[in-house]
Each structure stands twice: as structure tokens, then as C-alpha cells.
Amino acid sequence: MLEVRQVTSPLDPAIGKFGQLQRRVYFEPDMLIPPGVIRAMVGVPLAARGNFLVVAEEGGEVLGGTLFHYMARPNTGFSSFMGVAPEARGRGLARRLHEARFAVLDAAAKGRVNGVFIDVVAPERMS
């Protein structure tokens, strides 16, 4: 059964699996935030910026995920990464991750976040 959830512990094994997913689906793996840095970011409350990871899992495998941030002063989110495994595409995972991202951002804003900045990179052909 597919579960979409927020990762709140830096010890959660989903962080490493998310890192593997990123490397599989992103065209320039050396430009990604590595799992060790994500572990340091997750769950560390900061007044001006929150860092969050939401994953979509099925059978213990991370099929999709999104790493994003909340900036308090402009009450806005910034998406660092969202990806879905090629074999899981077409199942609505990206939509569910996007909706979960807004729910987490709204919680961080203690109301409604103004929006989220999303930088989209989708090469025509990926190997």
C-alpha cells in the first residue's frame, strides 16, 4: 500500500533511499543535496527557515519524494527537489507529494503559506 509521509527523524532510513532515488532520476546527480546533509537539515527547527522531506513509499521502497524549505519572513516555500521513480510514474504520486508539501508548509506557516517557488528541470530525454 502506498504511503505518503513526512520524514521527521534524521535516523529514518527513508533519507538514504530518497538519496538513491534522486541519483536515479536527476540528470546531474553531482548537483543534489546528499543524504548526509539532508539528515542534518531534517528536524532542526530554525526560526527563519524550516527544512522538510516528504516521501512516497510502498513495500519499504521510496518511489518518490520532495525536499523543500519554508522561509518565514516571506511566508513562502522553496522546492529543492521532487522526483518519482520511472516505474511508479502515472500513478498520481507527484500530485500526492505536491499536496503533502503544501500541507507541511501550511503547518509551518501556522496558517496558509503564500506559495511555493518551484524550479523545474525536466530534460527531454533521461538515461
Side-chain angles (χ1 to χ4, degrees), residues 62-75:
V62 172
L63 298 178
T66 179
L67 177 67
F68 55 99
H69 320 279
Y70 172 70
M71 279 42 132
R73 188 167 182 187
N75 190 37

Side-chain angles (χ1 to χ4, degrees), residues 1-5 7 12-26 53-67 81-98 126:
M1 183 161 119
L2 183 71
E3 177 187 16
V4 175
R5 68 178 179 91
V7 174
D12 193 316
I15 295 172
K17 293 175 183 180
F18 174 75
Q20 292 169 355
L21 172 73
Q22 286 187 111
R23 294 189 71 74
R24 278 184 57 211
V25 302
Y26 195 63
L53 175 62
V54 171
V55 295
E57 297 174 303
E58 188 172 62
E61 293 302 314
V62 172
L63 298 178
T66 179
L67 177 67
F81 181 87
M82 180 191 280
V84 174
E87 66 275 11
R89 293 182 183 153
R91 295 177 50 190
L93 269 67
R95 166 62 52 195
R96 290 187 60 189
L97 289 165
H98 182 67
M126 296 180 5

